[in-house]
Amino acid sequence: IIEPEIVYSPRDAFYMNSESVDLNMSQGRVSSSIIAAYPPGVPIVSFGERITKDIINEINIYLKSGIEVIGLDRGRVEVILEWREFL
C-alpha cells in the first residue's frame, strides 16, 4: 500500500498549469490528473498527489503485466508546472 503525499487539493491541482512528462522522469512531481489501473479502476495517484519512485514502479509493473493504465498518454503523465520551474 502506497500512502499518497497530498501537496495540493484536487480542485487546486486541476486548475493549475501543467505539462506532459515521461512517466519515468516524473519522480517528485505533482500529478495534475488521475492515473488508475483498469480493472478495477482505483486511482494509483490522483490530482495534487506527489509521484514517487514506488508509484512509478507500481505503474510499470502493471504495464509490463498487460494491465491497462488510464491517465497515461504514450508513457507520459500530466504534472503541475510549479512556479519554481519558471526561474
Side-chain angles (χ1 to χ4, degrees), residues 20-84:
S20 177
V21 298
D22 184 274
L23 171 66
N24 295 310
M25 301 300 292
S26 66
Q27 183 176 341
R29 303 292 299 270
V30 178
S31 179
S32 65
S33 64
I34 292 175
I35 304 170
Y38 185 81
V42 176
I44 301 165
V45 66
S46 189
F47 299 96
E49 294 178 358
R50 186 165 317 279
I51 300 171
T52 65
K53 183 177 181 175
D54 289 338
I55 289 171
I56 294 169
N57 289 340
E58 182 175 348
I59 293 169
N60 282 323
I61 289 169
Y62 290 141
L63 291 171
K64 289 177 185 170
S65 298
I67 296 172
E68 183 177 5
V69 178
I70 308 291
L72 292 182
D73 182 19
R74 292 171 285 182
R76 298 179 75 79
V77 62
E78 286 293 316
V79 295
I80 291 172
L81 187 60
E82 298 187 60
W83 67 268
R84 67 177 166 267

